[in-house]
């Protein structure tokens, strides 16, 4: 599988962006697609996740109520709508998938266990 992330950019605080993750070679073997981010000098962290089996979703506390993850099965695409962006959201955003780990295991250090990663897209929130 190959993941292509896009949609990042420079936005003012309070603004919105929509990230896209398109998966080629994607099959029902993959359990979830997650969005992760890594800010300079910080460890990568899980932001949001969607399970392929039932479309259930998870959100990290810092983004709850502001970010929405969704899926278009016909396009093998997952989106992350980000509203109310803050400077603290500035990071490189990655999407990832795995055949073993689902959304129960996208937070904390579990990110390192996910096998398939996109190339990342830069999100900068600044006035």
């Amino acid at each position: 599988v190959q993941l292509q992330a896009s949609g990042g950019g420079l936005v003012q605080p309070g603004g919105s962006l929509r990230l896209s993750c398109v998966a080629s070679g994607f099959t029902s073997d993959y359990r979830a697609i997650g969005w992760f981010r890594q800010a300079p000098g910080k460890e990568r962290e899980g932001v949001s996740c969607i399970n392929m089996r039932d479309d259930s979703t998870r959100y990290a506390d810092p983004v709850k109520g502001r970010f929405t993850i969704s899926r278009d099965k016909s396009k093998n695409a997952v989106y992350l709508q980000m509203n109310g962006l803050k400077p603290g959201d500035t990071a490189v955003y990655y999407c990832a998938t795995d055949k073993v780990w689902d959304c129960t295991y996208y937070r904390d250090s579990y990110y390192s266990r996910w096998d398939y990663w996109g190339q990342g897209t830069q999100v900068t929130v600044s006035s």
Side-chain angles (χ1 to χ4, degrees), residues 1-7 19-27 29-36 44 48-50 52 69-72 75-79 92-99 101 111 113-121:
V1 65
Q2 290 187 328
L3 302 177
Q4 181 72 34
S6 62
L19 305 184
S20 298
C21 177
V22 178
S24 58
F26 197 76
T27 70
D29 291 335
Y30 297 91
R31 302 197 65 188
I33 290 183
W35 282 101
F36 302 78
R44 193 167 297 190
S48 184
C49 186
I50 185 166
M52 297 296 101
I69 192 170
S70 63
R71 174 189 178 194
D72 186 333
K75 297 180 180 180
N76 279 341
V78 169
Y79 306 101
V92 178
Y93 283 70
Y94 301 88
C95 57
T97 190
D98 199 83
K99 292 184 178 181
W101 307 105
Y111 76 87
R113 303 187 185 190
W114 289 51
D115 281 340
Y116 306 97
W117 291 82
Q119 84 288 2
T121 184

Side-chain angles (χ1 to χ4, degrees), residues 4-114:
Q4 181 72 34
S6 62
L10 173 63
V11 63
Q12 292 186 343
S16 298
L17 283 174
R18 186 193 193 211
L19 305 184
S20 298
C21 177
V22 178
S24 58
F26 197 76
T27 70
S28 59
D29 291 335
Y30 297 91
R31 302 197 65 188
I33 290 183
W35 282 101
F36 302 78
R37 67 185 181 187
Q38 188 165 17
K42 293 188 177 181
E43 192 167 5
R44 193 167 297 190
E45 62 176 353
V47 175
S48 184
C49 186
I50 185 166
N51 282 316
M52 297 296 101
R53 179 178 59 85
D54 59 6
D55 288 345
S56 57
T57 59
R58 300 282 180 94
Y59 297 94
D61 285 344
V63 307
K64 281 181 180 176
R66 300 189 296 124
F67 291 11
T68 303
I69 192 170
S70 63
R71 174 189 178 194
D72 186 333
K73 296 180 182 180
S74 67
K75 297 180 180 180
N76 279 341
V78 169
Y79 306 101
L80 187 68
Q81 178 66 44
M82 306 187 296
N83 298 329
L85 283 162
K86 304 175 182 180
D89 295 318
T90 296
V92 178
Y93 283 70
Y94 301 88
C95 57
T97 190
D98 199 83
K99 292 184 178 181
V100 174
W101 307 105
D102 65 12
C103 294
T104 305
Y105 304 98
Y106 84 106
R107 295 285 292 154
D108 302 317
S109 61
Y110 284 109
Y111 76 87
S112 64
R113 303 187 185 190
W114 289 51

